Amino acid sequence: MADTPEEPLLLTPGPITTSRATKERMLHDWGSRDRDFIALTRHVQGRLLHLARGEENHVCVPIQGSGTFGLEAMLGTLVPQKDKVLILVNGAYGARIAEIAKRMNRNHHVISLAETCPLDPVILDEALAVDPTITHVAAVHCETGSGLLNPIDKVAAVTAKHGRRLLLDVISTFGALPLDVASLPCDAVTISANKCLEGVPGITFAIVREESLAASQGNATSLSLDLFEQWRMFEETGQWRFTPPTQVLAALAHALEEHDIEGGIKGRGERYRNNCQILIKGMQELGFQTFLPFKFQAPIIVAFHSPSDPNFTFPAFYDFLRDKGYAIYPGKVTTADTFRIGCIGKAYEKDILGVLAAVRDAMKKFGFTPG
Ligand SMILES: *Cc1c(COP(=O)(O)O)cnc(C)c1O
C-alpha cells in the first residue's frame, strides 16, 4: 500500500513500493569507513549469501548501481577476453546481456528463441556439444519483459554436464523464488535490491563461486565494475572501494528483516503468487488476455494484450489508473502490443482487487472492450 494518496502504488518491474519503515532507515548518515557501516555491509552480505544458499563455496560482492551495473560487472569480470559466452535469449533482458557482451568485446554466441518460449535444454545441449570453445552460459531466470519463467534448473544441469560455467540474471526473482547456487550448480548470479527484496534502488550484488572469482584478477576492463578488486577490498578492509550508497544499504538491511518476518523466500513467494493469480483471474473476467500461457508465467509481473478497440490508448489508461492510485507499466515484448501489471513490492490482495476495480472503471469511462 502506498503511504500517501498522492504516491501511487508501483505495480511495475521495479523500483517497487517499499514499506515506510524501510524508507525511514534512510534518515541517517553513515561514515563509509566507520565500523558501524562496515558491520552493516558484512551483515547484508551474509544474509544474501544465506538466501542464495551460497555459504559453502560462494561470496557476495556488492556493487553500486542498478541491476544492469551488476550484470556488466559479472560478465566483465568472470568472462576473460580469451573465453566465450553462450547467451540464451528469449526476451529483452537476455538481449541486454548480449548487448553487454558485445560492448565489452567478449567472444559470444547468441541463441534466440521466441518471447513466448521458455529456454530449451535440448537446444543448449546441442550447442554446447558442437562448440567446445564455449566456456560460459548466461541466462535470465524471469524475463521481466514478458513475465516468463525460464527453467534454470534444466539449463544448469546441461551446462554442468558439459563442464561449462553458468552465469545467471536472477534480478527479478531473487527473494521470491527459491535459488540454490550450490546445487544448481551455478558460478555466479546477479541480484538487485529493488525488486523482490523490497529495498530501494541503487545497489546490486553478485554472488560468485569464490574459486572463480579468485581466478578472475585482471579480466575486467572497467575500473568501477571490477568484481575481483571490489571483493579484494572487502576481504582486506571490509570497506567499499568507492563511495557506497550508504542509505540504500541501510534500507536494504531493514527490508531483509521484513523479508524474514514474512517467512523468507517461501512467505514472500506465496504473497506474490496470490497477487498474480488474483490479478490474472480478475483481468480475464474483465475480458483481457495474458500474453503468456499460465504454465510459463512467473509470479512477478504479468503482460496483457492491449485492447485493439480504438477507444483504448495506453497513455490515457495509464493516467486514469495513476489518478486512482496505481502505476502500471508499458509493454516490452516485440511481437505484440502489451502492457504490464506487477505483482511485486508491498502490494497485497486488497491492492490487486483495487487495481482490478480501477481497470473496470477505466473500461466504463473510455468505453473500450478488451480483446
Ligand atoms: C530489473 C531487471 C534488470 C536490471 O535492470 P535495471 O534497470 O538496471 O535495474 C535486469 N534483469 C532483469 C530480469 C530485470 O528484471
Side-chain angles (χ1 to χ4, degrees), residues 171 182 224 226 231 240 254 259 304 319 338 361:
I171 291 171
S224 54
D226 185 337
W231 173 56
W240 294 64
H254 179 75
H259 183 264
F304 295 96
D319 284 343
T338 57
D361 291 347

Side-chain angles (χ1 to χ4, degrees), residues 145-190:
S146 62
L148 184 144
L149 188 65
N150 277 317
I152 51 160
D153 46 342
K154 292 189 183 120
V155 169
V158 172
T159 305
K161 185 185 101 181
H162 288 273
R164 320 297 167 87
R165 294 158 193 259
L166 182 63
L167 310 175
L168 287 177
D169 168 351
V170 298
I171 291 171
S172 63
T173 56
F174 191 79
L177 298 184
L179 176 78
D180 184 332
V181 289
S183 75
L184 254 181
C186 170
D187 240 39
V189 300
T190 300

Side-chain angles (χ1 to χ4, degrees), residues 300-318:
I300 305 297
I301 191 164
V302 184
F304 295 96
H305 284 284
S306 297
S308 52
D309 190 322
N311 286 338
F312 175 88
T313 68
F314 181 76
F317 183 57
Y318 177 89

Side-chain angles (χ1 to χ4, degrees), residues 150-264:
N150 277 317
I152 51 160
D153 46 342
K154 292 189 183 120
V155 169
V158 172
T159 305
K161 185 185 101 181
H162 288 273
R164 320 297 167 87
R165 294 158 193 259
L166 182 63
L167 310 175
L168 287 177
D169 168 351
V170 298
I171 291 171
S172 63
T173 56
F174 191 79
L177 298 184
L179 176 78
D180 184 332
V181 289
S183 75
L184 254 181
C186 170
D187 240 39
V189 300
T190 300
I191 67 185
S192 150
N194 63 284
K195 304 235 175 180
C196 305
L197 294 175
E198 299 185 357
V200 304
I203 189 169
T204 172
F205 300 83
I207 291 178
V208 194
R209 214 158 59 85
E210 183 167 355
E211 211 181 286
S212 301
L213 190 57
S216 70
Q217 185 169 21
N219 287 349
T221 52
S222 161
L223 176 69
S224 54
L225 300 179
D226 185 337
L227 279 183
F228 178 86
E229 295 299 342
Q230 188 94 340
W231 173 56
R232 193 155 73 171
M233 180 81 168
F234 283 121
E235 289 292 294
E236 285 169 6
T237 67
Q239 298 179 7
W240 294 64
R241 278 193 307 156
F242 307 117
T243 301
T246 48
Q247 279 82 359
V248 174
L249 190 77
L252 179 59
H254 179 75
L256 285 167
E257 274 173 47
E258 291 187 358
H259 183 264
D260 200 34
I261 289 166
E262 191 171 10

